[in-house]
Amino acid sequence: MEPVRTEGNAFWRGNERFLIKGISYMPCHPDLSNYDSLIDPLAEDRLTALDRDIAVLSGPGGLGLNTIQVMGLDFRNNHGKALNMLAEAGIYVLVKICERLKAPKGGRNGIDPNFDTAPYYKVSAMRRALRTVHELADYPNVLGFVVGGPHITWPETSKIAEVRRAAVRDVKTFLRLRGGRIPPVGTNTRDDARMRIPMLEYFTAGSSQERVDFFGLGCYSWAGRSSFQISGWQNMVQQLEQYPVPMFLSEYGTSMGDYRLWEEVDCLYSPDMTGVFSGGCVYTYFESNNPYGIVKVDEDGNLEKKWKETQGLQKHFGVVNQRSPAELYSADTKDYENWTGQFPAAGQNPWYATSNLPSLPGTIEDFLREVRSDAADEGREAGPQPPVTAHPVQHTQAVTEGVTNLNLNQ
């Protein structure tokens, strides 16, 4: 399976643009206050269920999708069999990491918007993230790593973007040091008209070693019968087209009644949108604690499709998958490789995050040595293993969890 890469403001597979035709794939609703409640969707004890779902996603008579977006992967599980099954079906995987990073608690009006972000950059969260990255990076159908964490939806908590950007920086450094394949690393967030531009500027500014390789935007403004103009998508595209970073809709699909029409699929995969966005991910596959799933699964593992939803998706992706490249996008792309951008003005409403990022104790080399040691003990070592001192990157000491012994099993 040919890996996907980012170049300019697009995703590429070989010499052809790659459009993400994806869906969020989470067996339970993410309870971000209790991460242990999450079900690992690619664990070996779910292979039977995954095989069942692959047939719905991309098999004969399936939805015609090429990507799933997952979260909650437990580094203690082996995900190789699941990834190989998905690869055989032509399905790529966007892997959310760093979900355990948190923002200050309390109401938005009770938070000092200039709070110190160092205590929120936790060794424990990055320990888990880098273990996951090490296991998965060499699989060719890992489309990219999405650095998550708390959503940035209020000016008062916008400074937590420093933690996300630090995580992007350190994941990218870790990948360079470990050798082997280097998948793209990006971030995603919910769309908010006030925060949209400063947030995008913040994550795309500066050196390619620190900025994101792609940016995902969760957008629910298209609701029911709508259009490129009425939904606000036209204004969004006009606002974002000056930024040359690869972008996609990390979530879309607003529920307005018994079922969704999915007319936005036709628009998303047309030249109206693809000059800025490279597709997106439907929210969501499983129904759990919300009406947004397209299938229901009972306690015995029996799957019931929500027929009007799945038939609508199948119909619209069937149309999209028959379009020629000229009907999907123009041949023009933008230059992101030489882009340096500009950080948004910080310290005032609506944006408070600065370019002064927190650091983890020790060095990324320390993390890599322990990750390799633990992976070797578990029989999971993979990929070429150059010396970890080949590209030393020293981070200054920061007071995060007050530890320097990076025990990655905790």
Side-chain angles (χ1 to χ4, degrees), residues 28-30 286-292:
C28 66
H29 185 67
F286 296 97
E287 182 170 292
S288 60
N289 302 328
N290 64 44
Y292 283 85

Side-chain angles (χ1 to χ4, degrees), residues 89-142:
I91 297 176
Y92 291 86
V93 184
L94 282 164
V95 182
K96 289 188 175 183
I97 56 174
C98 305
E99 306 103 317
R100 294 173 183 251
L101 295 173
K102 296 182 179 180
K105 294 182 179 180
R108 51 179 293 230
N109 295 323
I111 296 173
D112 177 2
N114 290 302
F115 62 90
D116 180 13
T117 55
Y120 297 94
Y121 194 32
K122 299 290 189 180
V123 168
S124 57
M126 291 305 296
R127 168 185 298 145
R128 299 177 69 93
L130 296 180
R131 282 288 301 267
T132 300
V133 167
H134 183 64
E135 180 201 1
L136 303 184
D138 290 324
Y139 287 91
N141 61 324
V142 171

